[in-house]
Amino acid sequence: MRWASALSKNERTPEAVAEAAAEIRRGLAGASADLVVAFVSPHHLDGAARLPEQVAAAVPGALLAGCTGGGIIGAGHEVEDAPALSLTAASLPGVRLTPFHLEQHELPEGPDAQEWRETIDVDPATRPHFLLLADPLTIDAGALIGGLDAAYPAASKVGGLASGGPVPGANRVFLGNTAHRGGAVGVGLSGNVMVETIVAQGCRPVGKPMIATRCQGNVLQEVDGRAPIEVLRELYPTLPARDQELFRHSLFLGIEMRDSVEYREGELLVRNLMGMDPKTGALVVGALLHPMQVVQFLLRDARTAEEDLARMLDRSAARTNPPRGALLFSCLGRGAHLFGRPDHDTDLFRSKVGAVPLGGFFCNGEIGPVGGATFLHGYTSAFALFREAAS
């Protein structure tokens, strides 16, 4: 298995494809590419229709998947608010690639596992992994993820939502020889491949873990038998000044997603607090809740996001061999907007994991697993790390 990633800042799409393709051919050192993942900024929208044939001519025989993004990641670097095109290519001996494109009307109704398997034509016995790219303006990505989780519960699923287009039809998703104006594209990978996922949600806990003793839908009514607002009122004065400031504008709720009442750091699903009821002290949360789940209040800022990602990358690097290649799906709200400079997450990845070919883009939502299920995230960096299964 070989990977290579390249980035071009050329504003002209044909020249950008040619530059990036030449670089990935050098990176593959003579190996033929089986998969090319392309991400392009909106500056290339006029040339997007011809991008698949240009990639096919420059990298013959490879399956193309990709989409438009408000920011582009390639060759381990990040470009925001400027023209950019990245190609990340892989030579994948012993790996079967199964591509699919779905429009909204093609999604099965409900989570019927067999219907989903028939729709995308991937055999669960092959133990697949999935790369997913979806246009959030034209397809229900949550339904897509839920259906795939029902059909392939053991499969890792990672990817992101196309960005950069303000209205339906303005984004592009690429698959094979076609640039689609909407829907979702996916690639099932099976055989001699292992995909490790890292989902860094950028938060740290404050206070203590609690049990959701009463809730209804997405309304948290009681924690440990008390109104959540009471807990927050007691927690606030115990925090240092910096945390009190974050408390006012960057407070979230973490939810334990495993079936048993079991708290594990880094496996809480981070969700927004959307409102409160001053009469009852209940909180409205951006997720459905279930009684007896573990919940905990969380804070987020640039330093916390860096510490969270560093901890997860350290954990990954300590337990296995370096990956052959990687893709990064990062929120539009991260990058220079959060950290004050470009290349923050890519530099941190390089320092912890090594000089691994890394491509990706800045998303309108990130797809990745937490606690054994797959979710749409925000303010997150989701990595997919690829290795040979035998390694």
Side-chain angles (χ1 to χ4, degrees), residues 209-272:
M210 301 166 290
I211 302 295
T213 45
R214 192 159 65 93
C215 55
Q216 184 173 8
N218 67 333
V219 179
L220 181 61
Q221 299 163 318
E222 285 185 359
V223 288
D224 290 348
R226 305 175 60 203
I229 293 300
E230 291 182 10
V231 176
L232 289 174
R233 286 173 179 158
E234 289 185 4
L235 176 61
Y236 178 81
T238 68
L239 301 175
R242 173 173 172 262
D243 286 359
Q244 288 183 348
E245 178 61 28
L246 293 174
F247 197 93
R248 298 185 182 100
H249 57 78
S250 297
L251 180 67
F252 299 83
L253 186 72
I255 308 166
E256 172 62 53
M257 299 309 298
R258 294 190 177 272
D259 293 336
S260 59
V261 180
E262 180 182 10
Y263 172 77
R264 295 184 181 183
E265 184 179 2
E267 292 190 350
L268 296 179
L269 177 67
V270 177
R271 284 298 183 253
N272 290 323

Side-chain angles (χ1 to χ4, degrees), residues 128 135 137 158 191 280 303 337:
D135 173 25
L137 303 177
V158 66
T280 65
R303 191 169 80 188
H337 301 288

